[in-house]
Amino acid sequence: NSPLGYKGIFNVKDDSCNISAPSDAINALSVGSIAESISGNTICDTLDHPSPFTRRGGFRNDIKKPELVAYGGNVEKDPTDKYEASHLVASTNNHGVDIMDEAGFCRDTGTSLSAPIVTRTAALVLDYLKKSNLSKQLPLFNQNKANLTKALLIHSTSRVEQAKIKDEMVKRAYGFGKADYTSALFDDTEDTVTISYADAISFSEKKQKILIKLPDYLLGKSLEFTFTLVYNPPINTNFKEYKMINLQGSVGLIFPNMENGKLTGKTDVKPLAPSHSWDNYKSSDFNTIHFKKTLRKLDILDLQIGIQMTVSNHLLNEMSEDKILQNYAVVLSIKDKTESGQLRSQLLQKNQLVELVENTIKVQV
């Protein structure tokens, strides 16, 4: 691991404070700590920035760890630079997170407090999904409950306001950001629609396409697309082929292919994915893709989600091609930035993916 130090953190030079097992596993959902209580004498002096004790973010092959963050406390500066037990106890009492122990309410600090906060949100999202009609609409719902929950948690980070972080090293400890529940996932408006979908792709298919016809009124409008793909690939202990299945997910506008001014009967795809960054994340070494893209002027109404599969040589040697199958979940939010107040009602009039849109928005819990 290369050093990922940044101002206001303890563990700049200590390799034992890197993200490590089991959080380094790509199929684990890792959580970092951020500071809720700040003052002029705390090490972290910016609200929602990484706590001084959180493990260093980022990982081998630029894997995005942690994926999410939640409140876990802060630490006061020690003028003696010793940070002995008595100082840390007093620091925790002033700048910890409210918890309850056998003696009643108190304060504590640590990523051990951040992870349960995300666990609670995950439980609420899972409960919401299980009470929805998605289980009837998606044949592989049960196999993808974890993928759907993880995808929605990560997707929610782009639907709520996050801390404004410019330092690239700090971003690595912040992951995708704080996850949210109802307001970010299920309270869509007339100008924003969220589509949740889960399926499996086989090696014999190699590619899958999900087509969405956008309403005619959107031509020339400004749209914002937020996309998340999550899957749980098989892994092995040989790090050269640690992840044995790779899915590439994309969102694009499709239009007829032309040659010499004539239609060929084929189609071309204009991808909407922005260039790779720590905010708009995609990596062949990870199992999550998440990005946001604004299209200033829509000129094509046919939208396509594409899923493409590649398989490691190790897996091909272990299994027959007809047995190789990968579950996945995708979440796509479409926002009419001109706020015309028609997107949701008009999209629900289309006959493609209507059930998925309705059941994401209209679940009665």
Side-chain angles (χ1 to χ4, degrees):
N1 296 316
S2 59
L4 295 175
Y6 51 90
K7 181 182 177 183
I9 190 166
F10 280 148
N11 49 37
V12 174
K13 298 178 181 179
D14 186 351
D15 286 346
S16 68
C17 290
N18 294 338
I19 287 176
S20 58
S23 291
D24 60 347
I26 61 173
N27 287 330
L29 182 62
S30 304
V31 180
S33 172
I34 56 176
E36 179 183 18
S37 175
I38 61 171
S39 70
N41 66 335
T42 50
I43 294 176
C44 176
D45 58 7
T46 307
L47 181 67
D48 284 355
H49 275 227
S51 302
F53 48 78
T54 195
R55 288 182 179 266
R56 287 212 298 271
F59 205 63
R60 65 175 71 90
N61 297 337
D62 212 29
I63 287 177
K64 189 157 184 169
K65 290 284 184 176
E67 288 96 332
L68 300 172
V69 292
Y71 290 130
N74 203 345
V75 178
E76 289 183 353
K77 298 174 184 175
D78 184 356
T80 67
D81 204 31
K82 293 181 179 179
Y83 294 98
E84 295 174 337
S86 58
H87 169 85
L88 294 176
V89 169
S91 175
T92 293
N93 289 339
N94 289 327
H95 297 283
V97 177
D98 291 327
I99 65 168
M100 186 170 63
D101 64 10
E102 61 273 10
F105 287 103
C106 63
R107 287 177 176 266
D108 205 346
T109 63
T111 53
S112 297
L113 302 176
S114 307
I117 293 174
V118 174
T119 302
R120 174 187 181 276
T121 307
L124 290 169
V125 172
L126 177 60
D127 183 61
Y128 196 103
L129 288 170
K130 290 166 74 172
K131 290 177 178 177
S132 75
N133 289 327
L134 283 176
S135 60
K136 300 175 183 177
Q137 304 296 341
L138 302 175
L140 296 179
F141 175 82
N142 285 327
Q143 293 92 322
N144 275 299
K145 283 184 298 202
N147 283 331
L148 275 166
T149 301
K150 184 175 178 180
L152 285 165
L153 288 172
I154 291 173
H155 193 82
S156 75
T157 62
S158 289
R159 300 287 304 279
V160 294
E161 186 175 353
Q162 300 288 340
K164 307 299 182 187
I165 298 175
K166 295 180 179 180
D167 188 302
E168 288 299 318
M169 293 300 100
V170 177
K171 285 182 180 180
R172 289 173 180 270
Y174 195 72
F176 294 107
K178 290 190 297 183
D180 197 14
Y181 173 49
T182 306
S183 62
L185 295 176
F186 305 113
D187 286 352
D188 281 349
T189 67
E190 277 296 339
D191 294 307
T192 302
V193 166
T194 299
I195 296 169
S196 304
Y197 182 72
D199 204 346
I201 183 172
S202 67
F203 184 73
S204 58
E205 290 178 285
K206 292 187 175 62
K207 292 182 180 180
Q208 285 184 353
K209 299 176 182 178
I210 305 167
L211 302 178
I212 304 168
K213 185 75 173 180
L214 297 174
D216 296 344
Y217 89 93
L218 287 175
L219 279 174
K221 303 281 187 184
S222 175
L223 295 180
E224 180 182 85
F225 298 91
T226 306
F227 177 75
T228 306
L229 164 70
V230 166
Y231 59 104
N232 53 335
I235 56 96
N236 78 55
T237 55
N238 177 0
F239 278 111
K240 291 182 179 179
E241 289 189 334
Y242 170 62
K243 188 177 72 164
M244 293 190 287
I245 289 179
N246 182 51
L247 297 189
Q248 284 299 315
S250 62
V251 181
L253 299 169
I254 55 177
F255 54 94
N257 178 270
M258 302 280 290
E259 283 186 9
N260 300 320
K262 296 182 180 180
L263 294 172
T264 64
K266 300 179 181 179
T267 58
D268 290 324
V269 179
K270 178 183 178 182
L272 298 178
S275 58
H276 171 71
S277 68
W278 202 250
D279 298 309
N280 293 306
Y281 188 80
K282 53 185 177 180
S283 167
S284 59
D285 297 302
F286 202 35
N287 62 346
T288 299
I289 295 173
H290 177 73
F291 62 81
K292 182 183 287 188
K293 173 71 173 181
T294 296
L295 192 64
R296 299 193 181 282
K297 190 175 181 181
L298 182 70
D299 56 359
I300 302 168
L301 293 174
D302 293 315
L303 188 69
Q304 171 184 291
I305 300 174
I307 308 294
Q308 186 167 345
M309 180 186 200
T310 55
V311 176
S312 74
N313 292 329
H314 181 90
L315 188 61
L316 289 172
N317 292 334
E318 293 288 323
M319 297 178 65
S320 60
E321 293 186 3
D322 62 325
K323 296 283 176 55
I324 299 175
L325 194 72
Q326 178 61 59
N327 291 310
Y328 68 87
V330 294
V331 184
L332 175 66
S333 290
I334 307 170
K335 180 179 181 180
D336 176 5
K337 299 196 73 174
T338 62
E339 298 183 349
S340 304
Q342 305 176 58
L343 177 61
R344 185 173 178 274
S345 58
Q346 292 214 16
L347 191 60
L348 288 176
Q349 293 175 13
K350 304 293 180 182
N351 57 13
Q352 292 178 323
L353 296 182
V354 169
E355 296 87 354
L356 305 183
V357 176
E358 285 184 326
N359 289 323
T360 301
I361 297 173
K362 291 187 174 179
V363 175
Q364 298 297 319
V365 179

